[in-house]
Amino acid sequence: MEGKRLAGRYDILQRVGGGGMAVVYKAKDLLLERYVAVKVMSESLMHDEEFIRRFIREVKASAALSHPNVVNVYDVNREGSIYYMTMEYVEGQSLYECIEQKGAFSPEESVSIVSQICDGLAHAHENGIIHRDIKPHNIMRLSNGRVKVTDFGISVLLNNPAITQTGMVMGSVHYISPEQTTGDPVGYFSDVYSLGILLYELVTGTVPFDGENFVSISLKHLEEPLPDPRKINPNIPERLCEIINQATEKDPSKRFQSVLEMKQALQQSITTGGRRRAVDGERKKQKKILVGLGSAIIVAVAFFVVQAIAGNDFAEDNSEEPLETHSLSEEETPSPSEDMDIIEGNHPWWRELPSAAEKDNETFYRYRVSGSDGKYEISVDVKDIPVSQFYYNIYVVDSFSSRLVLKGRSVSFRKEPGKEFTTVQFPVSLPQRLLPTEGIAKIEMYWMRENESTKADVMGDLLQMWGQPQF
């Protein structure tokens, strides 16, 4: 294929990957002056009508997605007997290649990678698409650390369940969910299972189940308990092992019920571990200080005992400076109360960036913000609602994930009698350590009806953007 031009537009430059079903080439799009990836169906399958339908379905499924953690698909076409699709060209390695070269990843790296996959899959799930073939081969990792999910070739649209035959087994056997091995219905929970297996491989460098053939490995997924990953890598945090075990439960109802739920657990595991390490470090520091103080006190007591025994020879020259002590400054003392405000979470920020405010809703009108660098003054007109307070959440978002850093902060106000709206002003303050070098801060305002816990009339908008984040 190298040197061939497709549709008078795509110059095929070189092969960059592929398998038995399709080959991927790097190509130059002459019309838009950019590099693209061209995925060409294998010649041996060009007369297989079922495979052609799957190939076209992949394009339609993928083309509906637009997310920074999903490889963008542009087009599908045919030239003679050649079926091909064009998609975003990604400079990087597959996660499979990364694991082959590096072996196990650190818990922190693994959480970062899987959290991004969760974001990409959440976008697919929101569009009614299950991937069904999550494995390292289908995850691309860029040089800047971002990962992208690719190859929705055996995905199934939830609103088109008849598109595959009943009992048809699909997926890569080392990552396949138990329900896929038996041909039972699949759901979002099937992607959760495969993602749990992938996480296991990231932190250990190996898959949990192996065997001589498809059937033997499938039976292990179906019947055998997951091997303890800490027997391979003792440095895996206990909470991370719990997450892996929950994601890979045989019973789908016992797994995380969404990839975003799994992501939240992952991020909290790292945050909690980081806090614990910080507290342990501070305790060691304080212990060293106390030991030092104890030693100094012992020396001082010994000195005065010697003086007492020796008589009053030193009585007239008792001018030693008092023993210098050390107390922890405010900067050195951890502030767990401030850290407790950091609640890892998710937000569909990729669909809301950035430019203008969302349209006025039934409660909040004419939103204005001033300030910068974590110090803001908010002004908003609030309609005459049956309560005298509303709430706000603050999200800090970088290129890879979003964090809910302030949750449920209340703003009380006094209604202006006889007026449809009351202008409410309130400050928002974010600690410097929460501000990304490239990313955004967003505010979400809402109110709650009495005796109800659901948000009403939610309005969100941009507080500030830093740098040029590549969302």
Side-chain angles (χ1 to χ4, degrees):
M1 285 290 293
E2 285 91 339
K4 187 177 181 65
R5 179 173 296 178
L6 295 176
R9 174 177 176 178
Y10 303 109
D11 277 351
I12 305 298
L13 302 178
Q14 65 185 78
R15 175 175 171 154
V16 293
M21 296 188 294
V23 180
V24 181
Y25 297 92
K26 179 180 180 180
K28 181 68 177 290
D29 182 343
L30 303 178
L31 181 62
L32 297 179
E33 290 292 322
R34 65 180 177 183
Y35 291 110
V36 296
V38 174
K39 187 173 184 178
V40 179
M41 184 188 299
S42 172
E43 290 184 11
S44 62
L45 296 166
M46 288 178 182
H47 301 290
D48 186 333
E49 292 184 4
E50 171 60 22
F51 186 80
I52 291 172
R53 283 196 293 271
R54 284 177 53 196
F55 186 85
I56 294 173
R57 185 173 75 244
E58 173 182 351
V59 180
K60 290 182 177 179
S62 303
L65 306 178
S66 178
H67 187 273
N69 295 119
V70 174
V71 172
N72 291 322
V73 172
Y74 303 136
D75 194 15
V76 61
N77 213 331
R78 174 184 178 182
E79 186 161 303
S81 60
I82 300 174
Y83 286 87
Y84 65 93
M85 61 186 288
T86 55
M87 52 191 175
E88 174 187 5
Y89 178 72
V90 178
E91 288 278 6
Q93 292 181 301
S94 71
L95 205 52
Y96 171 79
E97 294 170 316
C98 294
I99 295 171
E100 284 283 298
Q101 293 175 8
K102 181 175 180 176
F105 283 71
S106 70
E108 291 78 12
E109 284 180 298
S110 300
V111 167
S112 173
I113 290 168
V114 175
S115 293
Q116 293 179 67
I117 299 172
C118 284
D119 282 337
L121 285 177
H123 179 62
H125 292 173
E126 286 173 2
N127 284 272
I129 299 169
I130 308 168
H131 192 287
R132 301 211 303 178
D133 196 22
I134 290 298
K135 59 183 179 182
H137 311 66
N138 290 338
I139 309 297
M140 295 298 297
R141 193 174 193 228
L142 285 63
S143 58
N144 64 1
R146 178 179 293 174
V147 300
K148 288 178 175 277
V149 184
T150 187
D151 201 350
F152 284 79
I154 64 170
S155 64
V156 59
L157 295 171
L158 282 181
N159 58 3
N160 259 321
I163 204 164
T164 55
Q165 298 173 355
T166 302
M168 190 174 186
V169 176
M170 289 182 171
S172 300
V173 68
H174 287 99
Y175 309 89
I176 197 170
S177 65
E179 59 271 16
Q180 284 175 278
T181 67
T182 57
D184 289 336
V186 301
Y188 304 136
F189 44 79
S190 303
D191 283 347
V192 170
Y193 183 92
S194 299
L195 198 50
I197 299 293
L198 187 149
L199 178 57
Y200 184 105
E201 185 176 11
L202 280 172
V203 295
T204 63
T206 185
V207 291
F209 300 123
D210 204 355
E212 296 180 356
N213 52 51
F214 184 96
V215 173
S216 63
I217 301 173
S218 297
L219 285 174
K220 290 180 180 180
H221 281 290
L222 196 60
E223 299 172 354
E224 291 190 10
L226 195 79
D228 185 353
R230 282 172 296 185
K231 290 184 177 179
I232 302 173
N233 181 359
N235 297 320
I236 303 171
E238 181 179 354
R239 177 56 184 145
L240 201 53
C241 290
E242 293 172 355
I243 291 170
I244 292 171
N245 287 328
Q246 184 175 348
T248 56
E249 285 278 0
K250 310 297 184 187
D251 182 351
S253 67
K254 295 180 180 179
R255 298 175 202 156
F256 296 103
Q257 292 305 290
S258 73
V259 287
L260 291 184
E261 183 185 344
M262 182 176 175
K263 176 191 171 182
Q264 186 169 1
L266 284 167
Q267 294 186 329
Q268 286 175 344
S269 74
I270 293 299
T271 302
T272 303
R275 272 194 211 123
R276 188 178 294 116
R277 287 191 293 272
V279 171
D280 290 345
E282 192 60 44
R283 285 174 179 167
K284 289 179 182 178
K285 181 179 178 181
Q286 292 177 354
K287 185 176 180 181
K288 287 181 180 178
I289 292 170
L290 291 174
V291 170
L293 282 173
S295 301
I297 291 169
I298 292 171
V299 171
V301 170
F303 174 77
F304 285 115
V305 168
V306 170
Q307 279 190 317
I309 294 173
N312 294 325
D313 293 344
F314 301 101
E316 295 181 1
D317 188 20
N318 193 16
S319 59
E320 274 76 2
E321 294 181 2
L323 183 68
E324 187 176 313
T325 60
H326 177 84
S327 61
L328 294 176
S329 67
E330 290 185 4
E331 288 85 15
E332 295 172 314
T333 305
S335 52
S337 60
E338 187 178 42
D339 278 344
M340 290 305 291
D341 279 332
I342 305 175
I343 305 169
E344 301 293 342
N346 307 281
H347 198 56
W349 45 268
W350 55 85
R351 292 189 298 178
E352 301 176 3
L353 279 179
S355 65
E358 296 174 5
K359 293 181 179 179
D360 298 337
N361 59 30
E362 293 298 318
T363 300
F364 302 103
Y365 287 73
R366 291 182 287 276
Y367 163 87
R368 288 88 71 194
V369 59
S370 61
S372 62
D373 301 325
K375 303 291 182 183
Y376 311 100
E377 289 292 331
I378 309 296
S379 178
V380 65
D381 291 350
V382 182
K383 194 174 181 179
D384 186 14
I385 54 178
V387 293
S388 57
Q389 67 179 1
F390 60 89
Y391 302 87
Y392 69 87
N393 301 332
I394 302 294
Y395 297 86
V396 172
V397 183
D398 60 23
S399 297
F400 302 122
S401 63
S402 62
R403 291 180 295 161
L404 175 57
V405 297
L406 295 180
K407 180 181 181 182
R409 294 300 172 94
S410 62
V411 178
S412 299
F413 65 98
R414 181 176 296 176
K415 303 173 189 177
E416 297 184 19
K419 291 189 177 182
E420 186 179 2
F421 300 99
T422 300
T423 300
V424 181
Q425 296 177 322
F426 61 97
V428 170
S429 179
L430 294 176
Q432 282 289 127
R433 61 190 174 79
L434 296 180
L435 306 183
T437 55
E438 288 189 346
I440 67 169
K442 285 195 60 172
I443 186 170
E444 178 184 73
M445 292 183 288
Y446 56 96
W447 65 282
M448 314 283 282
R449 295 180 177 88
E450 291 186 6
N451 302 320
E452 290 189 21
S453 59
T454 55
K455 300 176 182 177
D457 298 338
V458 180
M459 191 192 87
D461 196 73
L462 187 69
L463 279 174
Q464 185 176 353
M465 177 177 284
W466 294 268
Q468 298 294 325
Q470 300 299 311
F471 293 102

